[in-house]
Amino acid sequence: MSVNLLNFDKQQLTEYFESIGEKPFRAKQLMRWMHQFGVLDFEQMTDIAKPLREKLARETSITPPTVQIEQISNDGTRKWLIDTGAGNGVETVFIPEDARGTLCISSQVGCALECTFCSTGRQGFNRNLNVSEIIGQLWLANQSLRQDADYGLLAKDDRIISNVVMMGMGEPLANYRNVVTALHIMLDDAAYGLSRRRVTLSTSGLVPAMDKLREDCPVALAVSLHAPNDKLRDEIVPINKNYPIAELMAACQRYLEKAPRDFVTFEYVMLDGVNDTQAHAKQLLEIVKDVPCKFNLIPFNPFPDSGYDTSTPDNIRRFRDILMQAGYVVTTRKTRGEDIDAACGQLAGKVQDKTKRTEQRILRKIHLESAA
Ligand code: SAH
Ligand code: SF4
């Protein structure tokens, strides 16, 4: 099988060219053709000599993932369902706002971490995405948006996608190597040239990988906290049993020593009657007191059989006010793209119909029970 060049960051492409006796600067040329100009056909790469173009065409390919469905919400949010084979898919979401356009990227097919309120977690884990599938989401969204009439008047190098958040399906730090390579491509001036401050990785708190990311590729960090004490967090974010809150807070402090922003964003899903009381808010202030941070309250987005309800607007407001009165910046996430199931935690890669998923869930449960 030929090598897919979308799997490589600049360093890996440089090594590839060196291995076939070519000059290292070819890597930069190729990155620009692939990522900036969206060119897949080697024939069009006019500053590369013909014999090399022919060799690349013989031995390699530039193969982005395929889109199965593109949906556009009434509010302008767009969602692409990316085919990952075997009847599975992952989702990518573009959220346009006045001054910026944010792309939310998936990192795994499903997720093994089983947070109880998350539809991706309910699906279970299928597999890690490879680099071409991760960076391919940015590639595809960029190409698709550029072809759109709404953006037809843009200059060639104006950015439609100004921010990337690794907040789609999957736990990015559980697919560490591929995610970091994809981050390198996002940040590379020969590719997407995004600043570290405009790329945010969200994690449920894999402490050792947070420490590694701080050294390898520090980008802005969001942490899915969701509970103000270990007892509750053990229950709704089970990875907390491995990395409890005190360890997570210490990791956040260490991360900030190298981070491009001087705060961590704590995400907190608002679950009615579960984690949304005023007492919870006060406890939350206690546990974060040594970590410079902002809060992002996410009203729970329901999905079938979730067993949870969204906190009432009044409870969300009261919770927010307690944090704000303590001097914190708090945003309450607006739900976007609800009509196309593109809101947080609703991404489920619906290639399969729901009955099939339910069947799978039951089978998985039986499997787990029989293994126990
Ligand atoms: N695995 C990573 C990133 C993906 S999830 C993480 O957990 O951080 C992005 C955010 O959406 C996380 O904060 C996640 O907890 C939250 N989320 C998951 N399910 C949700 C739901 N049903 N409603 C609202 N937010 C949800
Ligand atoms: Fe995985 Fe994040 Fe969902 Fe938890 S919230 S199951 S870590 S995708």
Side-chain angles (χ1 to χ4, degrees), residues 117-118 167-168 170-171 202-203 224 226 267 269 298 300-301 344-345:
F117 50 83
C118 171
M167 290 186 188
E171 166 52 53
S202 172
T203 179
S224 292
H226 305 320
E267 295 159 285
V269 63
I298 317 175
F300 170 65
N301 288 307
C344 287

Side-chain angles (χ1 to χ4, degrees), residues 321-338:
D321 288 349
I322 292 173
L323 303 179
M324 283 172 83
Q325 276 153 18
Y328 287 97
V329 174
V330 187
T331 49
T332 305
R333 198 177 291 175
K334 276 197 291 249
T335 288
R336 300 282 305 260
E338 226 171 349

Side-chain angles (χ1 to χ4, degrees), residues 135-179:
I135 201 65
Q137 296 172 60
L138 181 51
W139 189 95
L140 284 168
N142 220 2
Q143 297 305 314
S144 167
L145 290 165
R146 283 196 167 275
Q147 280 162 17
D148 198 278
D150 289 357
Y151 299 103
L153 295 176
L154 276 182
K156 230 181 158 186
D157 49 3
D158 270 350
R159 285 206 182 110
I160 305 172
I161 299 169
S162 58
N163 295 59
V164 167
V165 293
M166 298 293 308
M167 290 186 188
M169 298 169 65
E171 166 52 53
L173 293 184
N175 182 11
Y176 187 83
R177 243 185 26 179
N178 292 345
V179 164

Side-chain angles (χ1 to χ4, degrees), residues 70-80 93-96 150 335-343:
E70 175 171 5
Q71 286 175 291
I72 303 183
S73 158
N74 298 329
D75 66 16
T77 302
R78 289 170 195 233
K79 184 171 87 168
W80 295 269
V93 178
F94 175 69
I95 306 142
D150 289 357
T335 288
R336 300 282 305 260
E338 226 171 349
D339 52 330
I340 56 168
D341 280 347

Side-chain angles (χ1 to χ4, degrees), residues 108 110-122 168-172 202-204 224 226 236-239 345:
Q108 299 183 307
C111 181
L113 298 187
E114 302 192 318
C115 302
T116 50
F117 50 83
C118 171
S119 145
T120 308
R122 288 281 178 97
M169 298 169 65
E171 166 52 53
S202 172
T203 179
S204 54
S224 292
H226 305 320
I236 66 177
V237 183
I239 193 68

